Amino acid sequence: MDIREILQTKYPIIQGGMANIATGPFAAAISGAGGLGLIAAGGMSPEQLRENIYQARERTTAPFGVNIMLMHPQVDELMEIVIKEQVPIITTGAGNPGKYIPSLKAAGIRVLPVVPSVALAVRMERLGADAVIAEGTEAGGHVGEMTTMALVPQVADAVHIPVVAAGGIASGRQMLAAYALGASGVQVGTCLLVAEECPIHPNYKQALLEAGDSDTIVTGRIGGTPVRVLKNRMSREYVKREREGATREELEVYTLGSLRKAVLEGDVRDGSLMAGQVAGQLHAIRPAAEILAELYGDYCALRATFAKDCDNHAD
Ligand code: TUI
């Protein structure tokens, strides 16, 4: 099944959640450019979420969704708002959204949970999810253990609903690889951080442009909340202290407010610069429409080349 039937978009591409970054205007820019834009409710109060939904509606007639980060302390209120506002599509992250699915479905909302494992994917299908987003540990932000390469085919074999691949995708080559693994769409976040419309501090964008393949690190693997960020003074120190056995309270000192520090203040030494392993592939700040058109265009061109190779083989 083509995921575009569920998303109602030009491209089979979903924008990743990106708490504290993906505002209403940003989601509207992505949807206007042909992808599925998402407002990230993580880091927003229920009132701010409502305001951002209105801002997105003012800027685009294209459909957009909301990403609900399930560790949010006011997650129940956020769910009430997306239902009341009749947001057409919800993605979830950082937890099991099972108890919310019946009321979301009853409201006619399409639900696409992010899953880090086959077990959660199967549970989500049973509860009525419309598709699952299988996200590998290459992704930025809160991550699971499995790689996209190993996770996507196993999820695709285990469920009958469409699978969207996420984590490690920023080019047509990677998008084609995701389809080869059994995906019917992709979710991208990191490559959109360098979109002109992305409202992060210029220092954060510059750090992304300068990053190489090995410049991300996962903080919190030992503590149970693994988060992939760019290497900097804060994240290196965090992991060092974590390995030395620091307590949760001692480690919190580093992360408290650190994402806002990066996004709003451009503190690239002590801020949390969430980013996936594809950061090394980013070389320019460009309009979102150009990033999406190139991603999808390269995917289509490559797919045609591979198909031609096989035609020749058949002769
Ligand atoms: O959610 C994300 N990425 C995020 S959320 C976020 S905000 C945050 N900031 C600091 C600490 C923690 C979060 C930044 N990035 N991606 C989707 C995702 N979901 N990745 C992994 C998972 C996941 C993990 C466990 C989904 C479900 C799950 O289920 C566990 C269970 O209860 O079965």
Side-chain angles (χ1 to χ4, degrees):
M1 184 198 189
D2 192 323
I3 194 75
R4 281 173 283 204
E5 283 174 34
I6 293 174
L7 307 180
Q8 297 290 305
T9 53
K10 178 176 172 193
Y11 302 131
I13 303 173
I14 304 176
Q15 166 227 314
M18 304 196 288
N20 285 304
I21 295 172
T23 57
F26 179 66
I30 302 301
S31 287
L36 181 77
L38 296 176
I39 298 168
M44 287 182 189
S45 68
E47 201 37 58
Q48 286 171 324
L49 173 59
R50 195 197 311 271
E51 188 53 39
N52 276 273
I53 292 170
Y54 294 162
Q55 288 175 355
R57 283 192 183 139
E58 277 168 18
R59 287 165 170 81
T60 186
T61 53
F64 61 87
V66 169
N67 169 261
I68 308 257
M69 208 277 281
L70 293 160
M71 285 162 67
H72 193 296
Q74 291 167 292
V75 60
D76 289 355
E77 287 96 318
L78 298 175
M79 290 290 182
E80 277 171 29
I81 285 179
V82 297
I83 290 171
K84 211 178 284 171
E85 292 298 332
Q86 295 183 301
V87 172
I89 303 190
I90 295 300
T91 69
T92 64
N96 179 346
K99 69 172 178 171
Y100 301 105
I101 293 181
S103 48
L104 291 167
K105 293 308 301 168
I109 295 174
R110 280 151 277 160
V111 184
L112 286 76
V114 171
V115 297
S117 65
V118 166
L120 194 60
V122 169
R123 244 180 286 156
M124 295 300 99
E125 177 177 43
R126 239 183 255 141
L127 289 171
D130 296 271
V132 287
I133 303 168
E135 186 183 278
T137 194
E138 299 93 319
H142 185 57
V143 289
E145 289 285 341
M146 290 191 70
T147 60
T148 301
M149 186 78 143
L151 178 65
V152 173
Q154 294 187 63
V155 170
D157 283 348
V159 299
H160 304 94
I161 51 178
V163 177
V164 174
I169 302 168
S171 71
R173 288 185 290 184
Q174 289 157 328
M175 184 164 171
L176 183 62
Y179 275 73
L181 296 175
S184 12
V186 295
Q187 175 177 284
V188 296
T190 304
C191 65
L192 296 174
L193 287 173
V194 291
E196 278 173 9
E197 298 90 336
C198 184
I200 58 174
H201 194 283
N203 294 354
Y204 191 161
K205 287 189 189 177
Q206 192 55 37
L208 288 162
L209 296 179
E210 287 168 15
D213 61 331
S214 304
D215 285 337
T216 69
I217 190 169
V218 176
T219 60
R221 274 243 194 259
I222 298 172
T225 312
V227 175
R228 185 178 299 284
V229 294
L230 289 185
K231 286 178 181 170
N232 63 5
R233 186 169 80 171
M234 184 281 289
S235 56
R236 286 181 210 271
E237 184 70 14
Y238 185 106
V239 170
K240 181 167 161 272
R241 298 280 297 120
E242 194 176 21
R243 287 189 185 133
E244 288 166 359
T247 63
R248 190 181 291 259
E249 289 74 28
E250 285 167 333
L251 292 169
E252 247 175 28
V253 174
Y254 297 102
T255 52
L256 225 56
S258 61
L259 181 55
R260 283 169 191 273
K261 241 187 251 176
V263 172
L264 301 175
E265 297 165 27
D267 186 343
V268 291
R269 281 208 313 182
D270 294 322
S272 171
L273 287 83
M274 294 190 188
Q277 290 182 328
V278 297
Q281 294 172 224
L282 309 176
H283 304 299
I285 295 169
R286 298 184 294 163
E290 204 177 302
I291 296 170
L292 292 182
E294 182 180 279
L295 176 59
Y296 188 65
D298 286 355
Y299 155 74
C300 290
L302 264 178
R303 192 174 166 141
T305 307
F306 277 85
K308 229 178 280 158
D309 283 352
C310 290
D311 284 349
N312 294 340
H313 182 71
D315 292 339

